[in-house]
């Protein structure tokens, strides 16, 4: 266990600062822009709804940026020990190849995106509060019915954290296969994977009536989006809770709980089994490549 923790620490020391910058730099620029720029919010807008919507959108956007960064750097992570010629050193240590690959995957595809989500939630709330104060007046912000907002804020935070973990599951097959392709085929691995997936999927779909390959990527993408965007599939319910000068935000915790349950139920599906199988395949290919030195 201590060895695995040390491997996780290695990943943190190499990449942790980058994720702190991803979390804090947009917040700094956003607060600076809100403080110095002209902020205009519709006069009939509900302060509570504006606060909740802004905080959610900020958190989702920042998390989306984080996942984009995580996927882009995944190919480089697969080749890292070969590029700096440290593979012989790491393989000479009493560390299994499975643990070495597992620590890289766990830190960069689960823990660091989760850290970004945890940091994005209060950052989004802070940015939303400044937006409301600058757009509608600081007196309006001070007079907000915070007792009504606490429940939706807590429920939204829990739903976003769960969404980050679910996003890790749905992006894992694509990310791990990309890492495996990069490990085996170097810089051409990821482009070749997507060419084969895209062109091959199109040929199978249009030429042979077999759209499953394209549907796989599309479904994983949709599940990833639904995980990161609460109530994405229930726009009518969301509009009813937030629209109008006096929205009923007290219904949001129940809606978010139902949405979380739906997202969890998606794990008991054939698509989830396929995602798990592809993730295991990508992980096994990474370990095998590392064992070959």
């Amino acid at each position: 266990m201590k060895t695995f923790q040390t491997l996780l620490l290695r990943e943190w020391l190499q990449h942790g600062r980058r994720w702190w910058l991803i979390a804090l730099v947009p917040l700094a620029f956003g607060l600076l822009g809100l403080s110095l720029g002209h902020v205009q919010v519709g006069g009939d807008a509900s302060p509570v709804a504006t606060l909740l919507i802004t905080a959610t959108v900020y958190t989702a956007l920042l998390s989306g940026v984080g996942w984009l960064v995580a996927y882009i750097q995944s190919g480089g992570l697969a080749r890292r020990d070969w590029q700096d010629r440290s593979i012989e050193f790491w393989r000479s240590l009493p560390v299994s190849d499975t643990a070495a690959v597992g620590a890289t995957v766990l830190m960069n595809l689960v823990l660091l995106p989760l850290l970004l989500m945890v940091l994005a939630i209060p950052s989004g709330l802070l940015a939303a509060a400044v937006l409301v104060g600058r757009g509608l007046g600081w007196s309006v912000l001070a007079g907000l019915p915070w007792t009504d907002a606490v429940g939706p804020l807590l429920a939204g935070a829990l739903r976003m954290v769960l969404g980050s973990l679910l996003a890790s599951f749905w992006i894992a097959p694509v990310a791990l296969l990309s890492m495996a392709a990069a490990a085996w085929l170097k810089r051409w691995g990821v482009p070749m994977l997507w060419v084969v997936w895209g062109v091959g999927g199109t040929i199978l779909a249009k030429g042979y009536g077999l759209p499953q390959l394209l549907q796989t990527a599309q479904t994983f993408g949709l599940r990833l989006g639904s995980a990161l965007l609460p109530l994405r599939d229930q726009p009518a319910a969301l509009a009813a809770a937030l629209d109008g000068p006096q929205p009923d935000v007290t219904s949001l915790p129940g809606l978010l709980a139902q949405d979380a349950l739906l997202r969890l139920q998606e794990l008991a599906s054939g698509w989830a089994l396929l995602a798990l199988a592809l993730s295991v395949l990508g992980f096994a290919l990474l370990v095998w490549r590392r064992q070959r030195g």
Side-chain angles (χ1 to χ4, degrees):
M1 181 59 70
K2 289 184 178 180
T3 301
F4 191 73
Q5 291 175 350
T6 302
L7 292 172
L8 291 177
L9 179 60
R10 176 207 179 193
E11 300 295 333
W12 170 253
L13 292 175
Q14 289 191 342
H15 304 289
R17 181 179 299 179
R18 179 184 309 168
W19 288 84
W20 277 105
L21 290 175
I22 295 173
L24 298 179
V25 169
L27 176 63
F29 279 102
L31 293 178
L32 183 63
L34 289 173
S35 301
L36 300 179
H38 176 67
V39 180
Q40 184 176 1
V41 180
D44 58 345
S46 165
V48 174
T50 302
L51 181 81
L52 294 174
I53 293 173
T54 304
T56 301
V57 170
Y58 178 94
T59 303
L61 285 176
L62 192 60
S63 181
V65 171
W67 278 112
L68 180 61
V69 171
Y71 178 75
I72 291 175
Q73 75 174 8
S74 62
L77 291 173
R79 304 190 309 271
R80 176 184 54 187
D81 292 343
W82 284 272
Q83 288 177 329
D84 61 16
R85 300 184 179 181
S86 65
I87 184 65
E88 293 84 0
F89 167 76
W90 289 108
R91 295 213 67 235
S92 68
L93 298 178
V95 177
S96 70
D97 296 302
T98 301
V101 174
T104 300
V105 171
L106 178 61
M107 180 60 78
N108 291 279
L109 295 183
V110 181
L111 297 181
L112 286 174
L114 181 61
L115 170 66
L116 182 62
M117 177 68 79
V118 171
L119 294 174
I121 292 171
S123 298
L125 181 58
L126 177 59
V130 174
L131 175 69
V132 172
R134 289 277 292 154
L136 299 176
W138 295 104
S139 59
V140 173
L141 180 64
L144 280 179
W146 290 102
T147 54
D148 294 337
V150 168
L153 287 172
L154 290 176
L158 291 175
R159 171 61 183 81
M160 297 297 280
V161 169
L162 174 64
S164 180
L165 296 174
L166 292 174
S168 296
F169 177 83
W170 291 112
I171 203 175
V174 179
L176 287 170
L177 288 176
S178 297
M179 292 176 69
W184 283 91
L185 302 175
K186 300 182 180 180
R187 68 182 62 183
W188 296 104
V190 176
M192 288 184 64
L193 173 68
W194 282 108
V195 166
V196 171
W197 203 324
V199 176
T202 301
I203 293 174
L204 288 174
K206 295 186 176 181
Y208 299 92
L210 300 172
Q212 289 82 359
L213 193 59
L214 288 180
Q215 285 180 350
T216 299
Q218 293 170 355
T219 301
F220 290 166
L222 289 174
R223 297 287 169 87
L224 174 66
S226 297
L228 294 177
L229 294 174
L231 300 175
R232 175 188 178 183
D233 302 330
Q234 304 178 56
L238 182 61
L242 295 177
D243 282 353
Q246 298 294 330
D248 182 21
V249 297
T250 57
S251 63
L252 283 175
L255 291 173
L256 290 168
Q258 294 175 6
D259 184 63
L261 182 60
L262 289 174
R263 303 287 78 82
L264 289 173
Q265 288 175 344
E266 290 175 346
L267 298 178
S269 66
W271 288 112
L273 290 176
L274 178 60
L276 182 60
L278 292 177
S279 298
V280 171
L281 174 62
F283 187 87
L285 289 173
L286 282 169
V287 173
W288 184 22
R289 178 66 184 90
R290 190 177 183 87
Q291 289 173 343
R292 289 170 59 91

